[in-house]
């Protein structure tokens, strides 16, 4: 488990809002974004879901996972008695890359201090990496996400050990419905780390 260097202070991190203001570290993303899309959900959530980067819907709405992938995530959370407001949801890169391209290595590393700060501030029981890109960013190695989905690995963030659960990206279930069971099983594993505070009131209805 490799220790990562302390996140450098970019001057754009707002500790109270667990968000970023006015970052201009990635010139192309400054051009392609309408806004910086910060994480949403409780600042002390047990579960922190981490995606890749905002798409067009998220760039419009200012919230991670509000498009089709978000619907899949919401549906699977509901199936295990959680709502999206019980968990925290964020992205490795907070600005929308144009044409939905993957964020470059430089963009990933520019945004990594913000992700580390969010993980350290929230202190989740479990970080859920939604897809190959977040898994590789978090673990610092190449990941075969279909083969490794459901596995948990430990990483060090700001001197603390954190558990990372590898999960398919929700969009994978849209491209290949056969992946739905694997996605559902992994979300079910995640709930084992959601304490009482993470229980949704939905189940009472
Ligand atoms: N895909 C992601 O990885 N993140 C989002 O916020 C939306 C779709």
């Amino acid at each position: 488990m490799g220790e990562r260097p302390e996140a450098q202070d970019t001057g754009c991190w707002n500790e109270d809002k667990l968000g970023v203001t006015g970052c201009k570290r990635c010139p192309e993303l400054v051009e392609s974004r309408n806004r910086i899309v910060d994480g949403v959900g409780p600042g002390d959530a047990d579960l922190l879901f981490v995606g890749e980067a905002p798409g067009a819907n998220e760039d419009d709405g200012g919230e991670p996972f509000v498009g089709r992938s978000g619907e899949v995530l919401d549906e699977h959370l509901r199936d295990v008695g959680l709502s999206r407001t019980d968990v925290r949801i964020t992205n490795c890169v907070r600005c929308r890359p144009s044409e939905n391209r993957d964020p470059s290595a430089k963009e990933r590393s520019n945004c990594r201090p913000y992700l580390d700060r969010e993980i350290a501030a929230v202190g989740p029981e479990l970080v859920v990496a939604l897809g190959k890109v977040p898994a590789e960013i978090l673990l610092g190695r190449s990941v075969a996400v279909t083969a490794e989905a459901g596995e948990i690995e430990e990483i060090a963030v700001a001197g603390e050990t954190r558990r990372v659960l590898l999960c398919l990206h929700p969009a994978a279930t849209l491209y290949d419905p056969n992946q739905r069971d694997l996605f559902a099983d992994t979300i079910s594993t995640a709930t084992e780390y959601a304490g009482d505070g993470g229980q949704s009131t939905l189940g009472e209805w």
Side-chain angles (χ1 to χ4, degrees):
M1 180 174 54
E3 176 60 272
R4 293 175 39 74
E6 191 70 23
Q8 84 192 77
D9 192 353
T10 61
C12 299
W13 178 250
N14 183 331
E15 194 70 48
D16 293 342
K17 296 187 178 162
L18 302 181
V20 176
T21 311
C23 182
K24 295 193 170 60
R25 304 188 91 195
C26 306
E28 275 188 50
L29 296 185
V30 171
E31 283 299 309
S32 58
R33 77 180 180 209
N34 278 309
R35 71 197 81 242
I36 296 170
V37 180
D38 288 321
V40 293
D44 61 352
D46 288 329
L47 302 181
L48 173 64
F49 289 82
V50 181
E52 180 178 328
N57 292 304
E58 291 74 25
D59 183 61
D60 281 345
E63 183 168 330
F65 285 98
V66 290
R68 293 267 320 231
S69 296
E71 284 169 19
V72 172
L73 179 60
D74 289 354
E75 181 193 321
H76 282 81
L77 287 173
R78 264 198 308 275
D79 286 350
V80 294
L82 292 170
S83 100
R84 71 152 43 214
T85 54
D86 295 321
V87 303
R88 192 162 179 94
I89 308 175
T90 196
N91 278 307
C92 293
V93 170
R94 289 171 193 249
C95 300
R96 181 196 177 203
S98 60
E99 315 290 331
N100 288 337
R101 65 170 171 79
D102 285 349
S104 69
K106 180 78 177 141
E107 290 161 352
R108 294 172 197 202
S109 73
N110 282 347
C111 221
R112 178 66 198 251
Y114 301 134
L115 179 60
D116 282 354
R117 282 177 170 229
E118 188 165 16
I119 293 171
V122 173
E125 292 296 321
L126 187 71
V127 176
V128 184
L130 291 172
K132 180 180 175 69
V133 170
E136 293 190 340
I137 290 173
L138 285 160
L139 302 184
R141 65 169 175 84
S142 69
V143 171
V145 76
T146 309
E148 296 184 55
E151 291 178 12
I152 292 179
E153 203 162 308
E154 292 188 341
I155 60 168
V157 178
E160 296 285 333
T161 301
R162 301 287 171 200
R163 294 184 201 95
V164 178
L165 172 65
L166 305 187
C167 184
L168 295 176
H169 193 281
T173 69
L174 298 171
Y175 300 127
D176 180 2
N178 292 326
Q179 303 281 21
R180 286 183 67 92
D181 286 352
L182 179 56
F183 188 74
D185 287 349
T186 312
I187 297 296
S188 176
T189 299
T191 60
E192 292 167 23
Y193 295 84
D196 290 344
Q199 288 303 303
S200 170
T201 50
L202 285 176
E204 294 162 14
W205 297 359

